[in-house]
Amino acid sequence: MSFHKPTFAHPELPINKVGYRKKDYEGVISTLCAGCGHDSISASIVQACYEIDLEPHKLAKMSGIGCSSKTPAYFLSNSHGFNSVHGRMPSVTTGANLANKDLTYLGVSGDGDSASIGMGQFVHVARRNLNMTYILMNNGCYGLTKGQDSATADLGSISKSGSENPFQGIDLVGLALELGASFVARSFSGDKSQLVPLIKAALAHPGFAFIDVISPCVTFNNNKGSTKSYDYVRQHIEATSEFDFVPKEQPIKVEYSEGTGKSVTLFDGSTIYLDKLSNNWDPTDRYSAINRIQEGKKKGEIVTGLLYINPESQELHKLLNTVDTPLNKLTEKDLYPGDGILDRINDTFR
Amino acid sequence: MSFHKPTFAHPELPINKVGYRKKDYEGVISTLCAGCGHDSISASIVQACYEIDLEPHKLAKMSGIGCSSKTPAYFLSNSHGFNSVHGRMPSVTTGANLANKDLTYLGVSGDGDSASIGMGQFVHVARRNLNMTYILMNNGCYGLTKGQDSATADLGSISKSGSENPFQGIDLVGLALELGASFVARSFSGDKSQLVPLIKAALAHPGFAFIDVISPCVTFNNNKGSTKSYDYVRQHIEATSEFDFVPKEQPIKVEYSEGTGKSVTLFDGSTIYLDKLSNNWDPTDRYSAINRIQEGKKKGEIVTGLLYINPESQELHKLLNTVDTPLNKLTEKDLYPGDGILDRINDTFR
Amino acid sequence: MPSSRINDLVIRFANVNGTGSASANGLFAKAIFRMGIPVSPKNIFPSNIQGLPTWYEVRVNEKGYLARKDGIDVLVGVNPQTLRRDIDSISSGGYFVYDSSKKLHEEYYRDDVTMLGIPMMKISMDHYEVPRHQQLFKNIIYLGAIAALLDVELEVIKELIAEQFATKEKLIPPNYKALDLGYEYAQNSFECPLKVRVERRDLIGDKILIEGNEATALGTIYGGATVLTWYPITPSTSIAKAFESYAKKFRIDSATGKNKFAIVQAEDELAAIGMVLGGTWNGARSFTATSGAGISLMNEFIGYAYYAEVPCFLINVQRGGPSTGMPTRTQQGDVLFCAYASHGDTRHILLFPSTPTECFEMGALGLDLADRFQTVVFMMSDLDLGMNEHLTEPLHWDKNRKYDRGKVLSAKDFEDPDLEWARYLDVDGDGITYRTIPATHPTKGSYFTRGSSHNEYARYSESGEDYVRLVDRIARKIDTAKKHVPGAELYQKISSSPLGMIFYGTTTYAAIEAMDIFESNGIAIDSMRIRGFPFDEDVVKFIQEHETVFVVEQNKDGQMRTLLINELEINPAVLVPILNYNGYPISAYNINTQIDQHLSINNLMKEVL
Amino acid sequence: MPSSRINDLVIRFANVNGTGSASANGLFAKAIFRMGIPVSPKNIFPSNIQGLPTWYEVRVNEKGYLARKDGIDVLVGVNPQTLRRDIDSISSGGYFVYDSSKKLHEEYYRDDVTMLGIPMMKISMDHYEVPRHQQLFKNIIYLGAIAALLDVELEVIKELIAEQFATKEKLIPPNYKALDLGYEYAQNSFECPLKVRVERRDLIGDKILIEGNEATALGTIYGGATVLTWYPITPSTSIAKAFESYAKKFRIDSATGKNKFAIVQAEDELAAIGMVLGGTWNGARSFTATSGAGISLMNEFIGYAYYAEVPCFLINVQRGGPSTGMPTRTQQGDVLFCAYASHGDTRHILLFPSTPTECFEMGALGLDLADRFQTVVFMMSDLDLGMNEHLTEPLHWDKNRKYDRGKVLSAKDFEDPDLEWARYLDVDGDGITYRTIPATHPTKGSYFTRGSSHNEYARYSESGEDYVRLVDRIARKIDTAKKHVPGAELYQKISSSPLGMIFYGTTTYAAIEAMDIFESNGIAIDSMRIRGFPFDEDVVKFIQEHETVFVVEQNKDGQMRTLLINELEINPAVLVPILNYNGYPISAYNINTQIDQHLSINNLMKEVL
Ligand SMILES: Cc1ncc(C[n+]2csc(CCOP(=O)(O)OP(=O)(O)O)c2C)c(N)n1
Ligand SMILES: Cc1ncc(C[n+]2csc(CCOP(=O)(O)OP(=O)(O)O)c2C)c(N)n1
Ligand code: SF4
Ligand code: SF4
Ligand SMILES: [Mg+2]
Ligand SMILES: [Mg+2]
C-alpha cells in the first residue's frame, strides 16, 4: 500500500538550476513508524538532490529489503527505483552502472541488509570502486522483522527485550577503509546539517562513496542501554570536522579557520571544505582515518563526518576501460562485428 | 579418484605422546600439481598435529571447494572430513562446533573460496570467534577453474596470460584484524619452520585462529610479474618475529633476546614465544598489528608471523553459555523437559 | 432484517497496526474459546511495522468448522484509511460497529447494514489522560461494546485480563473500567444482544488454542533439537522465538545455569542451513526454519545434503510467492519446489501438518526422519497455520519415547571384528547406510563427506558405474521413506463415491466443511488428506478407486497435483485442480463452488446424485 | 581377425592430464575433418589440473553419425595408471597401441586384441633433450604412428601443425620430425594401414568443427550483449573466456581503444545474476553463464526476475548433478529445476540447442526473448555440447537483423498525449507490458521495480485481487512465448507409426542414429526434437498422434517427460522414459536396446513390424 501526497505545488516555491522545486524530489508518503531515523535520512536525500541541481530522472534509486530499503519509495518519485532482494543491492547497482555510466546511482541499505546477508556484495562493490553512493541506514537491528540484533549492534548493547549483545559489532566504516573504499563517511540521521553536505559530496564523488548513517529505530532499538538510540548517539557523537560541499561553478563562500581546515577538489571541479579538523587526521590518508576512529572508540566516541576521500579515485568504468557512450546506448551499428567477419571466424574452425 | 599410499610403517619411527607415528597423520596421495604450495601446507599440518600430540580422530577437517579444499584428503586420514560447498566451510564448521565443543576444528580454504563467494561467512565466523583454525591457502587465483584472478590478487599483479589485475586486492589478514579476530597470522607455504609452530599455536588457541598462508599455484600463477609466485614471495617476505609455540606441560627451552621478545600464555597453559619483534608492534594490540602491516605494505614487504593474538579470547560457546558436555552427547534424559510439563504448557493455551 | 443466529458468525476488526489492537482482539477470540465455543481467528496484517491497515477476523462456529468463511456479519471498523472497503465488505444484514467520535459521512451509510456508532475515542479521552492510554483503552472500549452486542460473558474477559496482567496488577482496574465503559455504552444505546450472538457451550473439551509456530517449536524441543540456526524471515521467525523461550525455560542446566542448547542467528539462510548440516553431521539434532526466499537460497546446500546424505530438518513456513511476493499472506506455493529442490535429480521428504498438534508431532518426527534417512526433511507449514491461533488437540508426548537416531555406529560396534563398514554401503537393502559421528573411534570409522561423486567407501570417484549405483541407491532410500512418513488420512472406511477429494495442510478445514456441505446436498465425496511425501500406497489406492479426484490446494499451478501425477504416473485427466491463491485461506464455499462448476460442466452431477 | 572397415571407427587416447596430450589428440580429430570425413571427438577429463587420467575419444563415421558409440576399435594407451581398464575396454578384434619403452607385463595381453607396441618415450628421448620436450613430442610421435596405422594423411597433419605454430615458426620442424619418427616407426614395424582405417572423402561441405561454448559466446556477441557478469565454474567457464576474446577482437572502439563491452568476474553466482538484472533493467543486453551449483544459488534472483519482470538471459551448461556431483561429466539434469526455478508458482522459458550452430543462434535469440518477454530465459546447454568440438553448419548472421528489444517506450512515445502508460498494464492482451529504461524522460515513465506484490502501476499492494491479476497475467505472458521459442523439429512430414520418439539437446545425435537403425530393421519410429519450452502445439500434436512415445534424455528421473506430462496434461502411460545418466553421452545402441526391451515386453514389436 502506498499513499500519494497531494501534489499541488506552490508556484512561489524556489526553483533550482535544473528547473525543479524541492517538492519534485519527494516521494510517496512514508509508511515507516513515526520518528524512524530513516525518514530523516530520506528528507536529507531530498534536500541534497535538490541543492545539487540533479535532474531526478538521471538518478537511479537502488535498495535491498528492510524498512530502510523501502525508503526509495519516499523520495525522488521521478527517478526509477529498484527494490531488489535482501542484501543484493550492490550487484544490481553494479549491473545498472555497467549499462549506463552517465546516471547517478544512489543505493540505500540497512545494517541487516549490508552487514549480514549482504556482506559479500558490500565488500566487493567497495573493492570495485563502483561509482555510486551507498547510504547505510544503520539502526543496529532488523526493523522490518521486528527488532532482532543485527551484526552492527555493538558489543554489550541492550536490546528492547533486555538482552545484552554478546558479539563484537561490525563497523562497516572500518571495513570500508580497510578495503580501500574511496569515500568513507559516518553521520547521524538527526544531524541534517552534516548529512546533507555529505550526501552532496558523495553523489559528486567519482567512485564508491559510503556513508554509514546511524538511524535509530524508534520501535525496536531506542531503549535505554541501546547504543543506537537517539539519546545515546546524541551523547557520544563527535564530528571530525565542520564540513561543506560546493559544487563546481558555484561561488565559494566558505570561510575556514586558518591552519585547521582543508579543501579537496574533486574530478568534476566540485570542492569539499573541511574545517576544524580533528588532530592527527588527514581526510585523504586512510590510515589516519582508521586511527582516528580507533582513538574515538577507545574514548567511547562515535566519530562522524567525512573520514576519508581518495581524490585520485578510479571508478570501475575506468578500470574496465569502457567507451564513453553508455553501453545501453550502443546499437546494432556499434556492435555488429562487420561484414565478412563471421565467415572469417567460421574459417578458423575448419 | 584417490590413491592410497602403501601403509607399511617402520616400527622404529618415533611415536608421539598419544601413541601415533607421523605417518598416522598423513592422508591419501595428493592429486595436486607437482610443486603446488598447498601440498607443503598439508605437510606442515601433518607435522604440527603430530608434534602437538593430537589424537587424529579428535580433529575434524573442514573445507570448501577448490584445489586447496581438496587437501583435507591428503592429511589426517583418521579424522572425519567435510568437504562442503564453495565458500561455505565456515557455516558448516560453526554447526559442527556447536554440536561438539570438545573436538579441534581445522578448516582449510582457498582465496576464491574465502575472499569471493565465501566472504560473508568468513566475516561472520571471525565475528563469532568460533573456536577453530582457519588456514587460507592463498595463491591469488582460482586454481581448480584454471587460473582466473581471485579477489586477493594484488593490484597490478600480472597473470599468466599477461593481463594486469586492475583491482585492489583484499587482504584477509587486514580484514580479520578489523573484525577483531582473536588470532591472526600470515605465513608462506615454503616456510615450514614458521608455519608449523603457527599451526600448533592456532590449534591451541581458544577462538578463531586465522592463518593466511601464501601458497603459490605453480600451474597458473607462478609467472613473472605475479605477486604470489615463489620468487616474488621469497624476495618480499618479512617476518615480524621469530616464533615458537610450546604446549603446556612441555619444558620451556626457548631463549630469546632480552628486551625484544615476548611470551603469551594461552588459556590451556601453552605458551607462545616471540623473539626479535619488529619495532612498534605488540602482538597483543591489534591496532599495532594493523599499523605494522601497513608500514610493511608501503615498503612492499609481505609481513609474516603471528600478527595478533588476544589472550582473553572468548570463544562462541562462552558467548552462548552452553553446558560443558558437548551437545551431541545429551540424551533424552538430559533433554526431556520433565513429566507434567507439557500439560502445564497446554494449560497456558486454554 | 438480520437473521438470527447463535454461535455462527464472522466478526472482523479493522485496525491500524502498531496501535495495540492485537491484544484486545486476541482477548475476544480467547473469550469465545473460554465460553466453550469453537473459534478460529485470522490475522491479516501488512508487511510493515506501524500505521497501515490490519484486520483480525474471527469465525465463531459451534459445529466446529474452523475454515475462513466468506461474508462478514459484524465489522468493527476503527481504521479510517479503509472505511470504504470495510463497510463494503459486510454481508447484507450485517452490522457495522464504528467510532462515532467523529461523525460518519453519509456516503458511508448502507441500508442493508445496521450502523452502530460508538464514540470510542471520545469515551476514552473522557476517562484517560495519557494519549498512549487513550489509544490503548479505546480498543478495550470497543471490546466491551462487542461483548454487550454479541453477549460475550464479561466475566470471562475480565478473567483473561486478570491473567494477562497477573504480574502488573495495577493495570487491571483501568482495563476493567474501559471494558465496562464500552459494555455500558452499547447496552444503553442499542438493543443488546444482536440477532447474531454467542452463547456458552461445552464444545471445546481439552482442546487448546495455539499458533502453529509455537507448537512446532515445542515439537523440536521435545524431539531433542539442541541446535537451532536461523535467519529472521516472516512468517517463520516466531518458531525461533518460541524455541528460544521454551529452551530458556526447560533446557537450562540447573546446577550450572548453562544452556543445553545453542541458538545462532546466522548471517543469512545459506549459513543457517550450512550450520544445520555441520550440527547433524556431528551428531547434534539441529534444524532451521525459514520461508520463501530462504528456501531459494538454501538450494545448493539442500542438494548437498541429499547427495552427501547429511540429515537436515528444514521447516518451511510458506508465504505468498514468487519472490518477496506477499510476505504476510498465506500460500502452499513451495510444494513442488521443495519436493525437487536443487539442481540435478533429487527428491526430498515432505511433511504436511494441518493443525498445531501436527506441527508439534511433525516437529519432533522431522528430526527423527532426517536422522533415519540421512537426508533433507521439509516440514511444509504456512503462514495461516504458523501465525494464527488454531483450536486443536492438546499436545501429547510419550515420556518413554526415544529419539530415532537412525543408523549410527558406536565405538562398540567397531569392536566387532566382523564389522565390515563402508559409509555408503547398503547392507540392509533399504538404501540406508551406516554413518559415524566424528571422534567415534580412534582408528576406525572416519570418512570423508563430499558433494562430489564417490563410491561406497566415500572416496572420490569419477566412475559412471559408481555414480549410477550411488544415485539409484539414494532413490531407493527415499522410496523406503514412503512407509515412514505419516500416512494419508482417509475420511471414510471404504470408498463409496466415484468422486474423491484430496487436500493437505491448511486446506483441510475448508475441505472437510465442503465435504459436509456436499453431503447435506446429497452428494457424497470421498476424502483423503495427504500428510507426507513420498506418497504411500493409500494415496495410490484412493486415486485408483475414484473416477475424478479433486485436489484442493492454495497455489496457482496445482503443485500437489503435479507431484501426484509425476510420482504415481496418474492420468492427469483424473485429477481436477481446485485452487485458491489470493493469499487468503481458502473457504468451503470456494471449494464447493469450484467443484459444483466442474460437476455441472462435466454433467457428472447427475451421475453422482 | 579384425574386420575391415573404412571411415567407421572409434579411437580412444588414454592420457594423463597436464602432459600436453590434448593438443596432439586435437590434431588427430582435425586431420580427419580436413580429410573430409565426419568426426566427433569427446574429451573425458577429470576434475583436476595435473596428473590424473584423461581420455580423448574420437568417432570417425562417414555416414555422419556423431553420437558417442559404444566399443573402442583402437586404444592409444599412454597412461600406466589406467592400463588395465583401458585394455579391457577395447572391442574384441581391436587394437591396443602402447608405449613399449618399458616392456608391457604379460598379464595385460589379450588374445583378441592386436597389441602394437611403440617405444614412444624411448624414441623421444633419443631425439630430444629437454625433459619437457621429451614429454610433449612423445605425443606427436604417437600421433605419427597413428597416422601410419590408420592412413591419416601426413600432409594434412603437417599443414595443421604449420597453422598452429604460424607465429612460432621455429617449433614447426621439431614437430614435423616427431611426427615422421612415429610414422616411420609404425610403417617399419607393422603392416600399415590396419584393417580399420580412414580414407579421404568429401563429406564435410562447409561445415565447421567447433565447441558449443565458443559458438554460444559468438551468439551473444552477434546478439548484441555488452555486459557479461559471471563466476567461474566448469563447464561454463569457456563461454566467458570466448566472449572476452571475441569482444577484444571485435568490440574495441578503434578511435579510442576503449571497450564497447564490460565483463565482470563477479564474487559469486548470486552477484553475477544480480548484475545481469541491473544491466538489463538499465537497457544493456546482459547475460551470465553458469552450471549446477550456480543455478541453485541464483534461485532467489530468478524468482525476482520472473515476478518483477526483468529480462535475464542465463546460460546453463549442465553437468552431472546433484550437488558438486560429476563436474566434468555431462547430463541433462537441470531441466525440471530450471523450468520451475525459485519458490512460489513460476515457469521459465527454456531453449534447447543441440549443435554449436544452435548454440550460436540461441545465444542471440535468448537475448531477444529475454527482452521481449521481460523474464528469465535459460539456454540449456551441457558439458558434451559446450566443451567438445562438434561438426556443425557454419554460423550465419543476417547483417540486417535488428535486436528485438521488446516493448520499451522511448521519450518520444511519452510525447504522445494519448499515451496512458502503466508499467504492468496489459494493453496488448499478450500479457507483455511496456517498460521504460531509467532516464527515458524527465517527468514521465519512472516506476519502482520490486519483488513484492504490486499493482499495474508498479505500486506496492497487498490486495489479493491485484496479486491474482498479476500472476495470471504473467502466466499468460509465458504462454505467449510458446509461439516465439524455436518450434519442435519433426523428422517426418506426417506421422506414420504408432511409435514416436522425443529427444532434445545432445540426445539428438544418438536418437537420429537409433531411428535409422530401427528403420533398417524395418521398424518405423516417428521422431521429434524439442527446441523450446513452453511447448508449442506441434509437441501436443505429435504426442497425440502416437500410442507410445519414447522420451530420450540424459538424467535419472525423466525430467523432460515430467515437464511434458505436467504442462500438456498427458497420460504418463503414453510416455516411456529412455534414460542414460552415467555422465557419458548416450549412444544409439543404448537407445535401441532400451526401446527394444520395452517393445518386446509390451509385445508391441509385432504390431509395429
Ligand atoms: C532472503 C531473505 N531473508 C530474510 C528476509 C526477511 N527480512 C526482511 S527485512 C530483513 C532485515 C532488515 O534489516 P535491516 O536491513 O537492518 O533493515 P531495517 O528494517 O532495520 O531498516 C529481513 C531479515 C528476506 N526478505 N529475504
Ligand atoms: C557455487 C560454485 N561456483 C563455482 C564453482 C567452481 N569452482 C570450483 S573451485 C573454484 C575456485 C577455487 O579457487 P580457490 O578457492 O582459490 O582454490 P584454489 O583452487 O586456488 O586452491 C570455483 C570457482 C563451484 N564449485 N561452486
Ligand atoms: S520498525 Fe524501526 S526501522 Fe522500521 S520503520 Fe519502525 S522505527 Fe523505522
Ligand atoms: S592448479 Fe595451482 S592450486 Fe591447483 S593443484 Fe595445480 S598448482 Fe596447486
Ligand atoms: Mg536495521
Ligand atoms: Mg586460490
Side-chain angles (χ1 to χ4, degrees), chain A residues 38 65 67-68 86 110-113 139 141 143-145, chain C residues 231-232 269 297:
Chain A
H38 302 351
I65 299 275
C67 295
S68 33
H86 194 27
D111 43 328
D113 202 57
N139 54 17
C141 74
L144 193 55
T145 53
Chain C
Y231 190 70
E269 289 87 348
L297 288 171

Side-chain angles (χ1 to χ4, degrees), chain B residues 38 68 110-112 137-143 150:
Chain B
H38 302 352
S68 33
D111 43 328
M137 300 187 172
N138 188 353
N139 55 15
C141 74
Y142 286 33
S150 80

Side-chain angles (χ1 to χ4, degrees), chain D residues 311-420:
Chain D
C312 175
F313 183 39
L314 206 174
I315 298 163
N316 180 5
V317 188
Q318 297 164 94
R319 64 188 208 183
S323 195
T324 305
M326 298 191 292
T328 59
R329 295 288 182 270
T330 199
Q331 251 182 17
Q332 301 177 307
D334 303 338
V335 174
L336 195 64
F337 188 54
C338 290
Y340 302 128
S342 206
H343 61 279
D345 295 292
T346 62
R347 195 158 55 129
H348 310 292
I349 296 174
L350 311 179
L351 305 175
F352 299 101
S354 65
T355 64
T357 312
E358 281 189 343
C359 285
F360 175 77
E361 290 162 2
M362 293 181 183
L365 177 68
L367 293 162
D368 278 355
L369 292 178
D371 269 354
R372 168 120 320 249
F373 291 97
Q374 302 171 25
T375 195
V376 184
V377 175
F378 287 92
M379 176 167 128
M380 305 295 286
S381 182
D382 62 27
L383 182 141
D384 179 16
L385 179 56
M387 290 188 71
N388 287 317
E389 289 182 319
H390 296 261
L391 189 67
T392 192
E393 296 298 327
L395 312 182
H396 174 76
W397 187 259
D398 173 359
K399 66 182 215 178
N400 297 316
R401 174 166 162 180
K402 294 269 168 260
Y403 309 144
D404 179 1
R405 299 252 187 197
K407 300 186 183 178
V408 177
L409 294 178
S410 67
K412 228 174 83 199
D413 294 323
F414 281 102
E415 300 307 325
D416 178 355
D418 292 337
L419 180 77
E420 266 191 51

Side-chain angles (χ1 to χ4, degrees), chain C residues 1-214:
Chain C
M1 269 271 44
S3 64
S4 174
R5 268 181 285 132
I6 294 173
N7 293 340
D8 180 16
L9 64 93
V10 175
I11 179 169
R12 193 188 239 209
F13 300 85
N15 303 96
V16 175
N17 74 345
T19 58
S21 56
S23 156
N25 299 346
L27 285 171
F28 172 80
K30 198 65 172 268
I32 305 294
F33 170 87
R34 288 267 176 103
M35 285 173 68
I37 313 163
V39 64
S40 173
K42 307 270 179 223
N43 231 319
I44 301 155
F45 58 101
S47 174
N48 165 283
I49 303 301
Q50 192 192 86
L52 288 191
T54 184
W55 293 272
Y56 188 74
E57 190 176 295
V58 184
R59 181 177 184 187
V60 179
N61 181 280
E62 67 176 32
K63 290 196 190 137
Y65 293 131
L66 300 176
R68 184 160 184 262
K69 192 180 162 225
D70 304 294
I72 293 156
D73 300 301
V74 181
L75 197 140
V76 183
V78 290
N79 181 1
Q81 298 167 44
T82 57
L83 215 48
R84 175 79 275 158
R85 57 197 260 221
D86 288 335
I87 292 172
D88 290 348
S89 70
I90 303 167
S91 295
S92 190
Y95 301 89
F96 181 56
V97 181
Y98 64 98
D99 186 353
S100 58
S101 304
K102 279 190 199 153
K103 202 175 138 37
L104 189 68
H105 199 282
E106 268 186 19
E107 67 179 73
Y108 291 113
Y109 276 79
R110 266 179 67 181
D111 290 344
D112 59 339
V113 163
T114 309
M115 312 292 283
L116 305 171
I118 299 172
M120 306 168 187
M121 198 58 190
K122 198 165 165 298
I123 300 174
S124 189
M125 288 169 78
D126 288 349
H127 292 85
Y128 303 91
E129 291 196 346
V130 188
R132 179 77 192 145
H133 290 175
Q134 292 170 348
Q135 176 59 51
L136 287 172
F137 289 118
K138 186 181 95 172
N139 301 321
I140 303 296
I141 290 167
Y142 75 62
L143 180 62
I146 288 296
L149 292 167
L150 298 186
D151 227 1
V152 182
E153 294 171 19
L154 217 48
E155 286 321 299
V156 172
I157 303 180
K158 288 192 170 165
E159 182 184 279
L160 286 167
I161 289 175
E163 290 170 21
Q164 184 175 324
F165 297 113
T167 57
K168 298 178 200 160
E169 278 193 11
K170 74 176 198 302
L171 289 177
I172 298 175
N175 271 286
Y176 280 6
K177 187 171 93 182
L179 196 69
D180 289 334
L181 284 168
Y183 191 86
E184 277 154 25
Y185 184 92
Q187 285 287 8
N188 296 340
S189 316
F190 315 115
E191 205 177 305
C192 288
L194 304 177
K195 302 223 166 164
V196 290
R197 63 179 180 88
V198 300
E199 196 175 282
R200 183 173 277 278
R201 292 284 183 273
D202 187 13
L203 299 167
I204 297 296
D206 63 353
K207 289 211 180 76
I208 58 175
L209 194 62
I210 185 174
E211 291 175 14
N213 283 352
E214 191 97 19

